[in-house]
Amino acid sequence: MAKRYWNEKIECMELPDMRALQSERLVKQVKHVWDNVPYYRKKMEEKGVTPDDIKGIDDLHKLPFLSKADLRDAYPYGLLAKPLTDCVRIQSTSGTTGKRVVAFYTQNDVDMWEDCVARAITAAGGTNEDVCQVAYGYGLFTGGSGLHGGSHKVGCLTLPMSSGNTERQIQFMMDLGATILCCTPSYAAYIGETLHDMGYTPDDIKLKAGIFGAEPWTEEMRREIERSLGIKAYDIYGLTETSGPGVAFECEEQSGMHINEDNFIAEIIDPDTGEVLPEGSKGELVFTSITKEAFPLLRYRTRDICVLSRGKCSCGRTLIKMSKPMGRSDDMLIIKGVNVFPSQIETVLIKDFKATPNYQIVVDRVGNADTFEIKIELSPDMFSDTIKDVFTLEKKLSADIVQILGIKAKISLVEPKSIPRSEGKAVRVIDRRKLV
Ligand code: DLL
């Protein structure tokens, strides 16, 4: 009989006990950060708070927020709270140096992270009898190593496939009898399509569950994946800044993700005013990591918009639930699983054109795969250049975009004045995907 919980004591803890645990850990964490991170101490001093003011989670609101801009200012070591000699790993987001987030881990941090992912795998029915195929990208991205570590911890036979080479994924899945698939939901949908294109049906594979996250996906997409692969599909959430996947995970009820509250305190705020909103309100998700040693974050603004709800879940867990992210309070797009800021694209355009041309980023979803096009308006001079020159420019832009983002965009050089002008803010991004 499959184990229901990885850590029953924590996952089913009564609220007063959880609050006491959070309070104790928060007090310790604030002191750790104050003592070891001058950047944090300065921010706290600016807000007139010292560790003595933080006696428990009711005082959380007194602490300053931390944002991606702080992470950039402090890049790469400014938020490090442990000596590098105590750190055993880094992971990072995609993007240029300026936008890159580099997270550091001590061995305890890696253990905590793997424990969170082990809870997610267990909630999806995983045990040491399972064969877990990890088809998230390996490397700096947290998806591959996060699910890999959790799978090891549970004792699954772990297939470290990384993403890509889809026919080979399916071959391995069949040959080794994979029972759990971990990858982005769009890749899961693509694996499902390929399985059918290869002439197979879900009866030809042994998969029973999938753990999918790292990008927004809809309930329709869930049903489609479940049908094409013959599995139950579970959502998993996380971000590099807070370790990676496993901050929150879905249980069999498939209605929101339980947050690992013993490690992460969640708040919802109004993204414009920073005011803390009552439970059940829609707003920006903020996390405080209370057990991370090397790279602790106090009140980190995720920019993900969602709703928190606490109530009895049929799975028996008492951990608070977050809804699927419903959007962002900044301009970050997730295209083909990669975090993209329009400003990164602008940097390439300025470099190649020596000025910002009129441009538009068009994102759509065909089937279950994202399409990504950058339309760039040529100036009248350039328009009269020879086809060969225009072709060379197109190739250069395409290569520069891949270099900076790690994904390919269709580059469309368009006629002068063909991109609609706006009287207010230029509409730089057209996102036609329906993600919520
Ligand atoms: O995407 C970590 C991860 C890997 C999560 C594998 C789940 C599975 P980042 O690359 O730093 O980290 O991107 C974090 O991705 O702020 C959300 O906007 C988005 N995101 C992550 N999980 C989900 C999800 C990883 N389940 C950003 N649904 C976050 C919707 C998600 N969006």
Side-chain angles (χ1 to χ4, degrees), residues 68 92-94 101 113 136 141-144 146-147 183-185 211-217 234-248 257 300 302-305 322-328 330 332-334 337-339 435:
K68 237 190 183 78
S92 174
T93 56
S94 57
V101 171
W113 180 21
Y136 284 106
F141 176 55
T142 55
L147 270 298
C183 60
T184 59
I211 304 177
F212 308 128
E215 61 181 5
W217 53 311
Y234 297 82
D235 205 349
I236 185 166
Y237 170 90
L239 49 159
T240 312
E241 294 89 317
T242 55
S243 297
V247 171
M257 293 175 270
Y300 181 66
T302 65
R303 296 288 176 184
D304 288 317
I305 301 292
M322 62 177 272
S323 66
K324 273 179 178 296
M326 300 159 171
R328 304 259 320 160
D330 63 2
M332 187 179 96
L333 298 157
I334 303 182
V338 173
N339 304 348
L435 299 177

Side-chain angles (χ1 to χ4, degrees), residues 251-267:
C251 62
E252 70 248 23
E253 207 184 77
Q254 292 178 311
S255 64
M257 293 175 270
H258 290 286
I259 296 175
N260 282 312
E261 289 183 276
D262 53 325
N263 298 307
F264 304 100
I265 304 177
E267 297 171 276

Side-chain angles (χ1 to χ4, degrees), residues 109-343:
D109 293 336
V110 173
D111 291 343
M112 178 277 278
W113 180 21
E114 291 179 347
D115 200 74
C116 288
V117 178
R119 295 180 196 175
I121 294 175
T122 308
T127 68
N128 61 357
E129 290 180 9
D130 281 291
V131 179
C132 182
Q133 180 156 348
V134 182
Y136 284 106
Y138 277 64
L140 287 170
F141 176 55
T142 55
S145 26
L147 270 298
H148 182 102
S151 169
H152 259 225
K153 193 149 233 177
V154 171
C156 303
L157 175 63
T158 309
L159 305 186
M161 298 295 293
S162 198
S163 55
N165 213 333
T166 310
E167 294 199 359
R168 194 183 61 171
Q169 298 269 1
I170 291 170
Q171 207 55 60
F172 261 91
M173 189 181 279
M174 287 183 167
D175 295 349
L176 298 167
T179 49
I180 300 178
L181 174 66
C182 308
C183 60
T184 59
S186 43
Y187 193 44
Y190 184 60
I191 293 178
E193 271 171 42
T194 311
L195 180 82
H196 290 256
D197 291 348
M198 288 167 76
Y200 299 118
T201 71
D203 291 340
D204 297 307
I205 54 174
K206 294 220 172 82
L207 277 190
K208 61 175 191 192
I211 304 177
F212 308 128
E215 61 181 5
W217 53 311
T218 57
E219 286 304 320
E220 289 74 53
M221 200 161 160
R222 186 201 306 262
R223 280 192 287 277
E224 172 63 26
I225 295 170
E226 291 188 329
R227 190 195 54 76
S228 68
L229 290 171
I231 59 171
K232 188 154 173 169
Y234 297 82
D235 205 349
I236 185 166
Y237 170 90
L239 49 159
T240 312
E241 294 89 317
T242 55
S243 297
V247 171
F249 61 95
E250 239 175 16
C251 62
E252 70 248 23
E253 207 184 77
Q254 292 178 311
S255 64
M257 293 175 270
H258 290 286
I259 296 175
N260 282 312
E261 289 183 276
D262 53 325
N263 298 307
F264 304 100
I265 304 177
E267 297 171 276
I268 290 285
I269 61 160
D270 177 326
D272 297 324
T273 63
E275 182 201 347
V276 179
L277 300 177
E279 215 175 276
S281 316
K282 183 170 161 185
E284 183 182 331
L285 187 57
V286 171
F287 279 119
T288 297
S289 56
I290 43 177
T291 48
K292 256 153 54 90
E293 297 178 338
F295 194 65
L297 299 181
L298 301 186
R299 302 196 87 202
Y300 181 66
R301 294 187 58 165
T302 65
R303 296 288 176 184
D304 288 317
I305 301 292
C306 65
V307 176
L308 294 179
S309 57
R310 193 183 291 280
K312 229 173 161 41
C313 182
S314 60
C315 74
R317 288 178 184 79
T318 48
L319 299 172
I320 199 165
K321 279 186 187 176
M322 62 177 272
S323 66
K324 273 179 178 296
M326 300 159 171
R328 304 259 320 160
S329 67
D330 63 2
D331 58 355
M332 187 179 96
L333 298 157
I334 303 182
I335 309 174
K336 303 179 187 183
V338 173
N339 304 348
V340 174
F341 288 90
S343 56

